[in-house]
Amino acid sequence: MPRFSVIVPVFKVQGFLRECLDSVLEQSYTDIEVVAVDDCSPDGCGEILDEYAARDPRVRVLHLPENVGLGRARNAGMPLARGDYLLFLDSDDTLTPGALRAVADRLDETADPDVLVFDYARTYWWGGTRRNVLARVLAEAGPGTFCAAEHPEILDLLMVVWNKVYRRAFVEREGFAFPPGYYEDTPWTFPVMLSAERIAALDRICLAYRQRRQGNILSTTSRKHFDVHDQYERVFAFVGSRPELAHWRPYLRHKMGEHCLDILSKEDRLPEEDKAEFFRLTAALFREHGSGPVPPGLRVLEGGFARYRLRRQAGRAGRELGRRGRQVRRAAAARVKHGWSAVHGHRPLDPHLAVYSAFSHRGVLGDPAAVYAAARELAPHLRGVWVVRDEETAALLPPDTEHVLLDSLAYRRITARATYFVNNVNWPGSLAKRPGSVHVHTHQGTPLKYMAADLLHKPGARHGVDVPQMLRRADRWDYSLVANRHSELVWERAYPCHFASLRSGSPRNDVLVRARPEDGAAARARLGIPAGNRVVLYAPTRREYVRGGHAERLDLAAFADGLGPDHTLVVRLHPSLADGPARGTGLAELHRRGVVLDATDEPRVEDVMLASDALVTDYSALMFDYANLDRPIVLLADDWGAYAASRGAYFDITSDAPGHVARSRPELVELFASGAWQDGESERLRAGFRARFCEFDDGRAAERVVRTLMLGERPVPPATVAPLPAQAGHDVLAPS
């Protein structure tokens, strides 16, 4: 008996069907069966299903003699299912890699609940991806099981059949089945969720919900949307047959009203001449199934359709007035701010005022933070002010940190008079550079991939990047900080502007160069890493050849398991991936279960590096900083060709590597299993890499910047790392 029976109703989806079936059959979890129901599809779907069944015994196909519709096709497949759990997968959707393993583990963890609800992401025909906006409901459900009454927020999720798995014995005992119609999920999902005694949640994206450009019946203009009333009548009839569920009637009444008004509000759902009738049927159903207080949003159902239309028109007019009002207020505010800038722009610069920002105004971080700390110690007469993006960010600043909000009047006043500007991202275009001011650009590390003007030769990588504007903002730079000669060459090529390179080293790396054993211990304790564990940091970067930037390169659970119980796998995603679906496809759930530690949100990456014993990365610039720790580095370069072709790289990192290079995931596993990751060859490669790329990092970079650029002292050249034979050079910037 398989663990999962995946029931796939099929009708006119021959272009998507193979992708759907492959997403199931190629899962790492194999204790499954697929029950595919050919709903008399007129295209080639039947032949495709027979082809899959012929080569994989886990696939069984049922060909229906006539088209019965989605719900009844699912019904036809259920008697053939033998699995412990049922999963209904629409034939144009797909499971995400590792989804069934995650579901199976969660079922084991919660002792086989009646229903398990998992997360999904919408994938659009034009290539975009958007996670379920109510994903927090799953995260807040807790580690155990519950019923709907104990966590009613679970019913706020999309009431569809395909974001859940159902214990087959529970479904058969209750006699659940799908009715005919186009809103057939409604009279299945509400009865199931209200009847289930034990529900579990999985905060992981397990399904990609395809948003087709055409072909979705619920997104077409038709009277078929009137079916929603019949389906809610079935829900009310079910609740009426179960006295213990009677208290849910007011809730379902409100849900029905909201659902129907949502359909009515969409311009492309109902024919214009049928909207009044739809409204009247909705209002009648709302009156029929209850009384009592009516939420403000549903009070329109107490009046007629004409009143509803007037309120809709008034609402649109109000929104338009609000939009115009905001435009007027913004214009007025801009005039006021311009006035402030004009007034203060004629006042002399304050020689004791320095302004700092990092990572697009996200807080006291990176190189600017290190320079700020050094200035407070070495030049206490300088007043340091941070620019932050909003009040929420300001609330997280260290105590006694003077700050201004971006684009506020205080920001205009401060930036109009400051002498020193320190940033690792370009300042906004509205900031005018005054004569005598000193702009210090720290960058964000040593560049491997193409930057700025070099992106002009990579049209895919520069998509959405305004290179000319980037260079206009870089025209304000006076000094560019560099950690090595390679960076000096790159920045002068990528930013053809008038600035001087300061061979200072990277200020944020001072703590790595001067690291003491207790520094790592403190970071480990704060991160909750067990004492004595060896820590492997995995830091993947984004891919330009993948929309959204996230490419799943490594089975984190399997890698963590292979490392053993005396190891902790710490994962830090690229900052640009932190708010996307990357964490939802497994990382968040593995972190919750303690399989890996997700350190993506840790504000100080230096602390994460100090807490680790080794780094596994692909092409992240983090490796150049990490090399200062002189700890093992392993590269996973299984897609180096595609990455270099799409983004562009200044040299071949696989030839000039900081350690062993794994060309595949099995090679990476073998490196750690054999111990080669820390052998003599690894040490030799790392020594050459450090000599080349940590050349000016001597632990005094921040001090050097303050003394040289703010105090006007004679620059002290950095003490370079011990001269070691450099590796064979393949740098495209190196002289021939």
Side-chain angles (χ1 to χ4, degrees), residues 98 656 658:
D656 293 342

Side-chain angles (χ1 to χ4, degrees), residues 61-309:
V61 180
L62 173 63
H63 295 282
L64 298 181
E66 61 180 359
N67 177 252
V68 297
L70 182 58
R72 285 184 288 183
R74 290 169 179 160
N75 290 341
M78 279 195 283
L80 303 180
R82 299 168 298 180
D84 297 330
Y85 280 84
L86 306 177
L87 190 159
F88 298 97
L89 179 64
D90 287 354
S91 48
D92 56 351
D93 295 338
T94 55
L95 297 182
T96 61
L100 291 183
R101 164 56 64 187
V103 171
D105 289 345
R106 185 74 175 119
L107 291 174
D108 292 342
E109 185 180 42
T110 52
D112 286 5
D114 296 326
V115 181
L116 183 142
V117 187
F118 53 78
D119 203 8
Y120 66 92
R122 297 175 188 266
T123 57
Y124 294 87
W125 61 270
W126 42 265
T129 299
R130 182 168 63 88
R131 188 177 186 182
N132 166 27
V133 296
L134 292 177
R136 58 170 182 78
V137 172
L138 296 170
E140 294 166 358
T145 60
F146 53 89
C147 66
E150 293 167 334
H151 189 54
E153 294 81 5
I154 200 73
L155 300 178
D156 292 333
L157 296 174
L158 196 61
M159 282 290 102
V160 290
V161 65
W162 42 255
N163 63 349
K164 307 168 183 72
V165 295
Y166 312 86
R167 190 164 56 85
R168 182 165 62 90
F170 163 67
V171 171
E172 292 176 349
R173 185 191 74 210
E174 298 292 337
F176 294 126
F178 293 91
Y182 295 95
Y183 285 86
E184 74 289 331
D185 283 9
T186 298
W188 166 281
T189 308
F190 278 116
V192 165
M193 295 298 285
L194 298 181
S195 301
E197 296 177 357
R198 299 178 63 245
I199 303 170
L202 174 61
D203 180 22
R204 185 194 194 277
I205 297 173
C206 295
L207 183 139
Y209 176 29
R210 189 187 300 274
Q211 305 294 289
R212 292 161 65 178
R213 185 169 179 267
Q214 294 178 342
N216 184 348
I217 186 62
L218 297 184
S219 298
T220 56
T221 304
S222 167
R223 279 187 62 87
K224 291 175 180 177
H225 295 283
F226 279 76
D227 174 69
V228 71
H229 299 119
D230 292 337
Q231 303 297 10
Y232 272 101
E233 286 282 26
R234 291 186 170 98
V235 175
F236 287 119
F238 177 84
V239 171
S241 69
R242 305 283 184 103
E244 70 276 14
L245 300 179
H247 64 282
W248 285 104
R249 183 176 291 276
Y251 176 87
L252 293 171
R253 179 184 182 230
H254 295 164
K255 280 288 183 183
M256 181 276 298
E258 291 171 351
H259 192 172
C260 292
L261 287 177
D262 181 64
I263 294 171
L264 188 60
S265 70
K266 290 181 167 58
E267 297 297 331
D268 61 346
R269 292 296 191 269
L270 293 160
E272 192 63 34
E273 64 272 15
D274 294 323
K275 290 183 177 181
E277 180 185 355
F278 186 91
F279 178 87
R280 288 193 294 271
L281 287 174
T282 300
L285 192 61
F286 190 77
R287 289 192 298 271
E288 177 185 351
H289 290 288
S291 59
V294 178
L298 298 179
R299 289 175 186 165
V300 292
L301 292 172
E302 296 178 316
F305 181 67
R307 181 180 175 187
Y308 165 79
R309 291 295 291 266

Side-chain angles (χ1 to χ4, degrees), residues 552-569:
E552 200 74 57
R553 312 307 310 170
L554 189 60
D555 185 333
L556 297 177
F559 186 45
D561 183 63
L563 290 174
D566 57 344
H567 288 64
T568 297
L569 178 60

Side-chain angles (χ1 to χ4, degrees), residues 673-690:
S674 65
W677 63 279
Q678 56 177 340
D679 62 9
E681 177 65 5
S682 169
E683 186 175 350
R684 185 190 72 79
L685 291 169
R686 187 168 69 253
F689 191 84
R690 292 181 66 240

